[in-house]
Amino acid sequence: MKYALFLGCKIPSRLPAYEASTRAVLAHLGVTLVDLEFTCCGYPARNVSRDGFVVSAARNLALAERAGLDVLTPCTCCLGTLRHAQVLLDEDAPLRSRVAQALAADGLAWSGKAAVEHVLPLLARLIGTNKGATVPAAAVSVPRTGLRVAAQYGCHALRPANVARFDNPMAPTIFETLIRATGATPVDWPRRLDCCGDPLHEGNPPLAEHMTRAKIADALASGAEVLCTACPHCHLRFDAVQSGAPDPSLRTLLYTQLLGQAMGLPAKSLGL
Amino acid sequence: MSRTLFHMALYAALALGALGLLWRMAAWFRVRIGPDARAVTPAERVGALFRGAASALFSRRLLHVVAALFLDVLLQRRLYANDKLRWLGHLLMFFGFMLLLLLHALAPVVTVPLFPGYESTLAPWLFLRNLCGAMVLIGIALFLYGVWRRRTRFAPVRGPMAAAFIALLGFVLMTGFLLEADKIASPQAFHRMAQENGVTDPAELEPLRALWAAEYGVAFSDLRQPLTPELLEKGRAVHAEGCESCHARPQSAFVSYPIARALASVAGALDAARADVWLLYLHVFACFVGLATLPFTRFYHAVAAPVSLLVDAAAPKREFSAAARASRRALALDACVRCGLCDTDCSVAPLARHLGNPTLLPSHKLIATGALAGGSLLASGHEDDALRAAEGAFLCTDCGRCTSACPVGLDLEDLWEAGRGDLAAANLPAPAQWVRARTASAWAELLRQGQSAHVLSDPDAALAPLSADRNSFSRCVQCQTCTNVCPVVAHSTDPGCGVDLTPQKVMNLLRLGMRDFTLGSRMVWDCATCYQCQENCPEGIRVADIMVELRALAVHRLGAVRNWKAPS
Ligand code: SF4
Ligand code: SF4
Ligand code: SF4
Ligand code: SF4
């Protein structure tokens, strides 16, 4: 199994542990990752130019297509943005031809062949929590029994569901199932599907902070020991709000780190 | 060449170069980039430099500095990692040039004391000089090829001084080779030396001339006897006595010698025109011009870039004080060599091309950051440049790829952050901030009065097709579901988090044909794109997508009536 790894802008510079743990866990499960010369997914461009956003996204999709690979991303915002661009390209013919023109300047073309996938559903297929798994759940050798974990889904993985095609947007289960697969116990928390506040941290810092703190308080009140993330934006947001405090009141852990621990992979390879 | 003239010109060039250097280096302590840099004085910055240097000299960091000197400055390890061809070109140019400088230009003070018996016309110096010159020329060729190969719509701004520097370097080398070739071929030069060595008797002179014509490349036009083996043998005997100690065969000058052969037919004319004299003047004075203008051509990077690399090695950037950081940023402006490797790797390069705005690209953004700090970006008449620079600065994703690509190891993300602070201070903050300066209805009123020519823009329908098409929102039944699930509305009772409209009201304004009243709305700008509204809307209205499109439209339409002026 082979994917083009799309890390996006945040992971390499701000959260290298996510890259390390994603690579470690997927290597352990026999997935080959290829690095292409990807650029920004296009998310920041949405605020200034719809065409600019789709061109930015389509360039990446076209690169993967040229390499004959599907795209795998650990970032839910990149997932949402790339899939959003695919939908727009599908439904808007004039946009498609404008984008084709822009891509042609770089000798690229988009035809929609390269699919975009997030790490979580792939892991769900691989470690046997879904039908058609290729690796048995026994890949987990050091179960994290007893650890109470709150799943942070991330908006752009879930909504809009017709674009993200990730899980049931009202009652998703995939993240909790994956947590259970590591031996840990998922906690039910009322705000689990809420926004982490990250998109507002520059435009309206007080509002962003209220949103993040509300989630942290809710997870703590629901008995979580760990807040488990699958998006660099959410993860860094929770860390940023809690930084400065002597001990973060709610520890954040990337899902790939949690799974890596359960698989008995060395902490260093997981960026821990 | 007269010694007095030579020395006067040399000292004048040295003095000019040194003054220029001082002036340019003073900028490292004077130029202020970033709000935190405004709080420290130049004196504090000089102090920070000395403290930093002292603590590096007397600690283990000294080892880092030495390692950086070899690996980063001399061997260019960062460039090697990013672009092998450029690395090769750079090393050829650098080592060729340095060896020429030390062994040839500074021969009296370097080569002579090191190698007793040194003569520029002996082996291996003839060969080495040609080798070094050829290295530099090949390096220049590789550099130009690299520039051509990486040509894009937005090449890094190299400016006339970069071209001037390359042209001057090429000129020095070409005159050097021509001068050497002319001296090899020149009968006049031969006769002058023969005279100086007392070879005047035709019985000695003729065989020597024959030998130098046959084996040393002199282009005599008046040889009286055929070059028989006996004659050459006699010549060799004369040569062994007077000439051999200073003259090796010039064939090892593998560039100049073929040129000398090519010039053979005009050697007499060149002699008559005193080519040796003016070529020497051109060669030497071109070097002096290079020396005097060094601080103001691209060659200045040869000073600033190594300093930058060594400073980085001397102190990890996280330990920098505000004073040190301020100097570090000013130094970065000078140390950038405009290689454009950052631009190639920039995450938003495709967007820069789409928007037609090069200031999204790091090498251009660095120049804009400098222009902002220097004040020229805020001069009247440059409003469009300033607005574009602000667009570029706020679309940067802080991915850090420019920093990893930079062969000079500049901490570009720090520079970008500082630049954004300066932009905000010049009343050019991110759109989400400047939109807040007026209420939604005040913006709508401005739009009503103002011209609506767009500064830089896709057409409205391409920016916001959903809000331009009634079908995308006319089904709204004003049920308020979107408002009820919106986290921004839910938090609006928290201190400092009020909103003016709700998602449902935004949809209603669209239905009423009052789109202009939404563009400056807090709700539109504070929307977190969580997509709860869109997911839950019973009518399937793409509420969140509409919100985002309205922002893109607002950036352009409100930007056009914003009427920004530089703060005086
Ligand atoms: S940090 Fe900004 S300027 Fe640098 S490469 Fe990334 S997007 Fe480009
Ligand atoms: S910032 Fe660095 S990488 Fe970019 S042009 Fe300057 S020297 Fe080159
Ligand atoms: S949920 Fe849909 S139909 Fe209801 S008010 Fe919002 S946009 Fe209109
Ligand atoms: S996408 Fe925006 S408007 Fe819609 S619910 Fe989320 S924050 Fe509110």
Side-chain angles (χ1 to χ4, degrees):
Chain A
M1 194 176 283
K2 204 165 164 185
Y3 283 97
L5 182 65
F6 189 93
L7 291 168
C9 290
K10 281 284 170 273
I11 294 174
S13 65
R14 301 293 147 101
L15 197 55
Y18 202 5
E19 176 175 355
S21 54
T22 300
R23 288 189 191 276
V25 162
L26 289 175
H28 190 73
L29 293 171
V31 179
T32 309
L33 296 174
V34 178
D35 295 296
L36 300 180
E37 296 199 335
F38 288 131
T39 37
C40 171
C41 69
Y43 180 76
R46 289 189 67 188
N47 286 332
V48 289
S49 162
R50 182 173 178 266
D51 275 24
F53 139 56
V54 183
V55 166
S56 301
R59 183 190 168 277
N60 296 309
L61 299 170
L63 275 181
E65 201 171 311
R66 191 171 67 183
L69 293 170
D70 287 341
V71 176
L72 181 71
T73 179
C75 173
T76 55
C77 292
C78 293
L79 170 86
T81 308
L82 293 173
R83 284 196 167 167
H84 195 119
Q86 280 176 323
V87 169
L88 292 180
L89 285 165
D90 268 332
E91 69 183 19
D92 185 341
L95 173 72
R96 194 159 60 234
S97 72
R98 292 197 296 272
V99 168
Q101 224 175 359
L103 293 181
D106 290 341
L108 290 169
W110 176 89
S111 74
K113 267 200 220 93
V116 184
E117 179 71 288
H118 185 266
V119 166
L120 287 191
L122 173 67
L123 286 174
R125 288 203 299 281
L126 287 175
I127 62 175
T129 56
N130 272 10
K131 300 199 287 273
T134 50
V135 178
V140 169
S141 57
V142 194
R144 309 283 289 135
T145 314
L147 189 70
R148 290 189 308 279
V149 180
Q152 159 66 14
Y153 273 89
C155 298
H156 298 141
L158 293 174
R159 297 179 295 267
N162 61 334
V163 170
R165 292 180 281 112
F166 183 86
D167 201 348
N168 177 345
M170 305 300 171
T173 54
I174 182 171
F175 209 149
E176 280 79 9
T177 316
L178 278 166
I179 288 171
R180 240 173 255 122
T182 69
T185 311
V187 300
D188 193 17
W189 53 310
R191 286 192 188 267
R192 73 180 180 129
L193 306 184
D194 284 9
C195 173
C196 68
D198 185 72
L200 296 178
H201 84 269
E202 264 171 10
N204 192 341
L207 175 57
E209 178 147 355
H210 281 296
M211 289 168 75
T212 316
R213 287 202 183 282
K215 287 202 69 149
I216 294 172
D218 182 46
L220 283 172
S222 307
E225 295 167 277
V226 162
L227 185 52
C228 195
T229 59
C231 171
H233 293 273
C234 305
H235 190 91
L236 291 166
R237 179 71 200 151
F238 290 119
D239 283 354
V241 166
Q242 297 188 88
S243 79
D247 270 320
S249 43
L250 184 57
R251 193 156 68 89
T252 53
L253 196 64
L254 293 155
Y255 181 71
T256 43
Q257 293 177 321
L258 179 68
L259 179 62
Q261 285 177 331
M263 286 170 162
L265 301 181
K268 213 166 155 223
S269 74
L270 304 171
L272 283 166
Chain B
M1 176 183 287
S2 118
R3 292 195 81 78
T4 342
L5 179 60
F6 175 86
H7 281 122
M8 271 169 53
L10 173 63
Y11 293 133
L14 277 174
L16 278 175
L19 282 178
L21 261 187
L22 279 178
W23 165 256
R24 292 289 312 256
M25 284 158 93
W28 300 346
F29 305 102
R30 204 181 51 225
V31 172
R32 292 182 169 159
I33 304 171
D36 52 341
R38 260 168 261 150
V40 285
T41 63
E44 285 170 320
R45 287 163 63 169
V46 175
L49 173 81
F50 282 114
R51 270 195 307 284
S55 68
L57 277 180
F58 301 108
S59 73
R60 297 229 335 261
R61 301 247 21 129
L62 187 60
L63 296 177
H64 292 253
V65 177
V66 175
L69 181 64
F70 281 98
L71 297 174
D72 293 325
V73 177
L74 296 180
L75 295 180
Q76 290 288 320
R77 128 180 93 168
R78 289 163 195 270
L79 187 55
Y80 179 79
N82 280 305
D83 188 334
K84 309 260 183 301
L85 193 69
R86 269 198 203 209
W87 172 81
L88 182 65
H90 188 276
L91 252 61
L92 285 173
M93 263 198 262
F94 176 76
F95 284 106
F97 183 85
M98 288 313 280
L99 286 173
L100 278 176
L101 181 71
L102 292 171
L103 298 179
H104 169 61
L106 299 177
V109 282
V110 178
T111 333
V112 173
L114 280 179
F115 302 93
Y118 164 83
E119 282 295 339
S120 64
T121 43
L122 278 178
W125 311 109
L126 279 166
F127 169 74
L128 283 179
R129 216 167 33 243
N130 277 254
L131 179 68
C132 294
M135 280 164 64
V136 179
L137 283 181
I138 295 171
I140 293 179
L142 283 178
F143 168 78
L144 294 176
Y145 169 70
V147 168
W148 173 81
R149 191 180 53 135
R150 282 176 173 268
R151 74 199 177 287
T152 54
R153 194 165 138 213
F154 300 130
V157 182
R158 295 205 173 83
M161 290 323 258
F165 162 63
I166 289 289
L168 191 66
L169 189 60
F171 185 80
V172 168
L173 286 161
M174 292 316 296
T175 48
F177 279 127
L178 281 173
L179 179 61
E180 194 171 55
D182 176 69
K183 282 184 161 175
I184 291 171
S186 163
Q188 202 173 55
F190 171 86
H191 285 129
R192 194 177 54 241
M193 288 188 294
Q195 195 128 38
E196 280 167 12
N197 285 299
V199 186
T200 45
D201 177 0
E204 285 190 328
L205 189 58
E206 272 316 302
L208 190 61
R209 285 186 358 126
L211 179 75
W212 276 61
E215 296 184 356
Y216 289 79
V218 183
F220 296 109
S221 58
D222 56 346
L223 282 182
R224 273 167 232 133
Q225 301 165 20
L227 304 179
T228 57
E230 301 82 63
L231 188 64
L232 292 183
E233 231 12 80
K234 271 197 218 160
R236 237 183 279 287
V238 183
H239 178 84
E241 253 176 55
C243 320
E244 206 170 53
S245 58
C246 297
H247 288 278
R249 294 185 56 179
Q251 280 77 352
S252 68
F254 61 91
V255 180
S256 311
Y257 186 73
I259 302 180
R261 297 313 297 162
L263 291 177
S265 58
V266 292
L270 286 173
D271 272 349
R274 299 305 321 264
D276 56 334
V277 176
W278 52 259
L279 277 172
L280 180 65
Y281 273 99
L282 287 178
H283 183 64
V284 170
F285 280 96
C287 294
F288 289 167
V289 169
L291 193 57
T293 57
L294 179 145
F296 301 98
T297 61
R298 267 291 91 222
F299 200 56
Y300 181 54
H301 85 265
V303 177
V307 171
S308 175
L309 285 164
L310 296 180
V311 166
D312 278 349
K317 64 184 179 199
R318 263 153 223 89
E319 289 171 17
F320 274 16
S321 63
R325 220 166 26 239
S327 309
R328 187 72 196 78
R329 288 180 197 143
L331 171 60
L333 296 185
D334 286 346
C336 166
V337 297
R338 306 282 190 275
C339 65
L341 290 174
C342 50
D343 297 354
T344 311
D345 279 8
C346 176
S347 288
V348 292
L351 185 61
R353 285 196 292 274
H354 176 81
L355 296 175
N357 183 352
T359 63
L360 270 75
L361 299 172
S363 84
H364 295 260
K365 195 154 51 179
L366 179 133
I367 295 172
T369 308
L372 179 63
S376 60
L377 195 65
L378 297 179
S380 75
H382 289 270
E383 284 80 6
D384 278 359
D385 294 338
L387 289 166
R388 292 170 81 77
E391 181 182 66
F394 289 104
L395 283 173
C396 166
T397 65
D398 275 329
C399 70
R401 281 158 66 158
C402 45
T403 301
S404 353
C406 180
V408 192
L410 302 179
D411 184 359
L412 295 170
E413 288 151 277
D414 174 62
L415 201 60
W416 307 154
E417 201 184 316
R420 286 190 292 257
D422 284 348
L423 284 166
N427 203 13
L428 283 169
Q433 300 297 337
W434 62 254
V435 166
R436 274 168 211 280
R438 292 189 175 85
T439 62
S441 46
W443 278 117
E445 176 58 19
L446 257 187
L447 282 172
R448 199 182 60 75
Q449 305 162 353
Q451 42 78 31
S452 57
H454 297 185
V455 194
L456 11 108
S457 170
D458 298 334
D460 278 15
L463 281 170
L466 290 173
S467 67
D469 175 8
R470 289 200 64 78
N471 291 326
S472 60
F473 51 78
S474 59
R475 291 183 320 280
C476 171
V477 292
Q478 292 290 299
C479 67
Q480 295 208 46
T481 307
C482 49
T483 299
N484 293 337
V485 295
C486 176
V488 174
V489 175
H491 281 281
S492 62
T493 49
D494 293 345
C497 299
V499 281
D500 45 2
L501 301 172
T502 60
Q504 163 244 333
K505 283 187 183 145
V506 172
M507 293 307 118
N508 199 33
L509 285 172
L510 294 182
R511 292 192 328 152
L512 297 171
M514 296 169 73
R515 186 170 71 170
D516 283 359
F517 282 80
T518 66
L519 296 183
S521 153
R522 300 281 169 279
M523 184 61 236
V524 166
W525 282 90
D526 282 347
C527 163
T529 64
C530 74
Y531 281 93
Q532 289 285 13
C533 48
Q534 187 158 325
E535 196 61 55
N536 285 284
C537 172
E539 296 298 325
I541 291 170
R542 290 158 73 171
V543 187
D545 284 340
I546 291 176
M547 295 284 192
V548 179
E549 288 185 8
L550 287 174
R551 293 209 285 251
L553 187 63
V555 166
H556 297 280
R557 296 206 56 207
L558 304 187
V561 294
R562 181 179 167 203
N563 202 13
W564 174 82
K565 287 270 178 293
S568 45

